[in-house]
Structure formats: C-alpha cells, structure tokens
Amino acid sequence: MIRLFVAIDLPETIKNELSSICFGLPGAKWVPLDQLHLTLRFIGEVDGGLFREIRSDLETVEAEGFPMCLKGLGYFPPRKEPRVLWVGMEKSEQLLQLRKKVDRQLVQLGIPAEKRNFSPHITIARLRETPLVRLTNFLSGNALFTLPEFPVDSFYLYSSVLTPKGAIHQQEAAYALAES
C-alpha cells in the first residue's frame, strides 16, 4: 500500500523566507523546509495498481498556471487545543479550480470525494502543549505576515511514509500547468 497526496510545492526563496518566522514557540515541531507544501488533495493508502492509474490520470488535468501569495497565520483546530500552525494565502479562484479538477479526476477513479471543505494552507509546525498565551503572542507578532507573490506552474503527486520522526514525502510525478 502507498500513502498518497497531491500538492503544490513552494519555491526555495519562499521556503527560506518562511523559515524567518519558524522559531521561538514552545512545543512547536517545525516542518523541515524541504517538506513544506500546500496539499491540494489527500488521497490516503492505495494499492500499486490504483497508484499507477492515479499517476497516469492526473496527467489529464488541464488548468492554467496562476500567481499565489502567502498571507496570514493561524492554527487548527479552532476553539480547541492548538495542534497545527499554518500559513494562509490570499484567495485564489484558480487554486480552487485546480483543486476541483484534481478532485473530479480522483473521484472518477473511485476515490471518495473529500468531505471537509478545502481550506488552503501550509502547515509550518505541529504543536504539542504550546501555551495559548505564547501562541497568541506569536500570531499577533506576525499579524501582518505576507510573502511576495510567486507563480504556480505545476502540481505534484507525492507518496508519504509515516515515521516516528514525522512523515517523509517523495515526489512520484509532476504535472505542468498551461501558461496563462
């Protein structure tokens, strides 16, 4: 069985700029820079045959490239003990359309549609027993956080192996978006 997800990668310059805020929060396990991504669709575990079908069928997704801008910070779950610290982004209709096209292709392969609403974000830390006052101070200290716009010109299929030290992601396929 292979654990899969579809994602958008971030340019190295954006990852490096993100690293400038990844410190000073007790109980935060920061995501390594090479693992930062925006998950378009978590697929889960599939067998080898379905993996090959997914890898092939995602090539038929047609969408144009688009600009993306990371902006704002928050945490999940809201109104409960914080477990995930994330960076958000400016609203992007093109991102939502790409997500829908990827989802539609996966549903055609028999993969159930995602039940939760798509909430685009980039996980930057997993939180464990982080004092709420410290998290609140971190969020207010970074309330104006924004990064320069960057082009999204492809998306990727990743496999993920869970280990005691966290997930290890490996790129399985790349899919170019049309020039806009």
Side-chain angles (χ1 to χ4, degrees):
M1 298 296 276
I2 304 165
R3 187 172 187 259
L4 299 174
F5 65 93
V6 179
I8 292 173
D9 279 350
L10 305 175
E12 290 303 315
T13 54
I14 296 295
K15 290 179 182 181
N16 289 333
E17 290 193 51
L18 264 175
S19 72
S20 70
I21 63 165
C22 296
F23 66 93
L25 191 57
K29 183 175 183 227
W30 301 100
V31 175
L33 293 184
D34 65 339
Q35 301 282 306
L36 292 173
H37 63 273
L38 183 148
T39 300
L40 282 173
R41 177 66 152 75
F42 179 74
I43 298 170
E45 292 198 357
V46 301
D47 64 28
L50 185 53
F51 162 67
R52 287 185 291 280
E53 280 187 72
I54 291 167
R55 187 176 56 198
S56 174
D57 281 17
L58 285 175
E59 290 179 15
T60 66
V61 172
E62 292 182 13
E64 287 187 355
F66 55 92
M68 194 157 73
C69 181
L70 302 185
K71 182 177 184 178
L73 298 167
Y75 65 89
F76 292 132
R79 297 175 296 286
K80 293 185 180 173
E81 182 180 345
R83 309 295 291 159
V84 172
L85 178 64
W86 52 261
V87 172
M89 57 212 51
E90 287 184 349
K91 189 171 172 134
S92 168
E93 191 58 38
Q94 296 103 320
L95 172 64
L96 298 178
Q97 288 305 312
L98 175 59
R99 190 344 174 117
K100 284 179 187 174
K101 290 176 180 185
V102 166
D103 201 43
R104 194 174 309 127
Q105 199 63 42
L106 294 172
V107 168
Q108 287 179 4
L109 289 172
I111 296 164
E114 190 79 53
K115 290 183 178 28
R116 294 181 294 180
N117 285 339
F118 181 51
S119 179
H121 67 280
I122 295 159
T123 298
I124 60 171
R126 305 253 177 233
L127 305 175
R128 179 178 230 141
E129 298 178 13
T130 300
L132 191 55
V133 67
R134 293 292 297 273
L135 178 57
T136 303
N137 289 342
F138 180 86
L139 293 174
S140 64
N142 291 291
L144 300 176
F145 180 77
T146 186
L147 290 178
E149 187 176 273
F150 60 92
V152 175
D153 55 13
S154 54
F155 67 97
Y156 303 88
L157 178 64
Y158 275 94
S159 61
S160 176
V161 176
L162 299 177
T163 72
K165 293 185 176 186
I168 298 171
H169 308 314
Q170 178 174 319
Q171 191 180 108
E172 299 292 341
Y175 309 96
L177 298 173
E179 290 186 30
S180 53

